[in-house]
Amino acid sequence: MKRGRPGPLPRGGAERALVSVDRAADDSDVSRIGDIGEEGSASRPEEPQAYRLWHITLNVSGPGTPLAEVRRGLEQLAHDHPFLLTSRYAVDHAEIRYWEEARDLHDAAAIALRLWGEHRATAGLPPWETVGLAVIDRATYHQRLAEGYGPPPAVPVGVHPF
């Protein structure tokens, strides 16, 4: 399933190309930027921007809720949202880590910020608010892991207490 913002691509999307400082721009570089029409607006090709995977860490917090209720809600969220990797929880906060497919960071963050609220009623989640969000692309996630930085891999997968 592809998700993202409806409508045209954002300004500065994939149809633009940067020209290296080490070489001069040739005609093919300029043609990718777009032609300026008579009205002064750039015409852009209608190429769809590729969707990418983004690693999401969402932190939520709120009033104390019985652990069994929190666990049941997170297990239902994992069932409803198949890309969920792991959830950790306590009586007053939780951390959810998963992969999201989106055009760009803005789309991934917007989808992540809606996740808790949109699934609150259907999954029976506590009335908590989002208090933290980290969104990184797949390459950065793997680079940070290889260098020993960033969040440890989501192991074990599933819903676990802190």
Side-chain angles (χ1 to χ4, degrees):
M1 171 191 330
K2 303 280 189 219
R3 291 194 264 176
R5 288 178 288 183
L9 294 173
R11 183 177 175 161
E15 65 273 10
R16 292 186 180 224
L18 294 177
V19 177
S20 173
V21 208
D22 295 336
R23 66 176 178 84
D26 61 14
D27 290 339
S28 65
D29 291 324
V30 175
S31 67
R32 283 184 287 198
I33 296 172
D35 298 323
I36 302 297
E38 290 181 1
E39 296 84 32
S41 63
S43 62
R44 297 192 175 116
E46 294 296 323
E47 297 175 17
Q49 186 173 352
Y51 283 75
R52 299 181 355 201
L53 283 177
W54 300 88
H55 186 267
I56 309 291
T57 303
L58 181 70
N59 298 92
V60 293
S61 181
T65 304
L67 284 177
E69 190 177 321
V70 176
R71 181 178 181 87
R72 185 194 51 71
L74 289 172
E75 286 174 343
Q76 183 62 47
L77 178 63
H79 177 74
D80 295 345
H81 199 278
F83 294 112
L84 206 94
L85 292 175
T86 186
S87 297
R88 299 187 305 165
Y89 64 93
V91 295
D92 62 349
H93 65 281
E95 175 187 85
I96 301 165
R97 296 173 60 194
Y98 67 99
W99 290 99
E100 185 64 70
E101 188 175 37
R103 277 192 305 203
D104 56 27
L105 180 126
H106 299 285
D107 283 350
I111 293 166
L113 288 170
R114 291 191 311 263
L115 177 75
W116 191 264
E118 288 180 355
H119 289 275
R120 184 178 294 150
T122 58
L125 297 168
W128 295 345
E129 66 177 335
T130 300
V131 295
L133 175 66
V135 181
I136 56 175
D137 68 349
R138 185 177 182 197
T140 303
Y141 175 79
H142 288 294
Q143 178 185 4
R144 287 182 180 178
L145 288 181
E147 294 174 351
Y149 301 107
V155 176
V157 173
V159 177
H160 307 280
F162 272 105

